[in-house]
Amino acid sequence: MFIDRQFLVDSKKPQIHKAEPRNGFASGLFEIQYTEENLKNITLYYGNTSLINKSVSQNCPSGEKQICSFGVNLSSFNDQTIKYWFKIFDKAGNFANSSVK
């Protein structure tokens, strides 16, 4: 009996090119540009020292220099300084974090 198996080897971490907003006012729209051929999901973390929220998207496209957008409600942080960052996971378990902004 002969069994033919194919395996996907993905040893590359996702690459993060840029994240928006860069600084200043945040309206609730966040974007990340990245390169990952086997994307699993992207998580946006945002908040302050008291509360960190997260939003997960599994609908972002795989490929080179792709953009994924997140729209979140920031009303609980009105007139406050927040920080945010992204974490990208691929299907092989590799991940990359953006810098905290």
Side-chain angles (χ1 to χ4, degrees), residues 23-43:
N23 54 30
F25 178 76
S27 66
L29 178 62
F30 296 86
E31 289 186 344
I32 185 164
Q33 184 184 53
Y34 58 91
T35 295
E36 174 51 55
E37 294 301 323
N38 300 297
L39 186 69
K40 181 178 180 184
N41 65 47
I42 300 177
T43 303

Side-chain angles (χ1 to χ4, degrees), residues 36-78:
E36 174 51 55
E37 294 301 323
N38 300 297
L39 186 69
K40 181 178 180 184
N41 65 47
I42 300 177
T43 303
L44 165 66
Y45 296 91
Y46 61 97
N48 57 27
T49 55
S50 301
L51 176 66
I52 298 292
N53 293 328
K54 72 178 181 178
S55 177
V56 179
S57 178
Q58 296 179 342
N59 298 320
C60 299
S62 294
E64 187 172 334
K65 291 196 174 179
Q66 296 295 318
I67 294 177
C68 190
S69 299
F70 290 75
V72 296
N73 183 346
L74 297 176
S75 63
S76 59
F77 300 105
N78 280 349

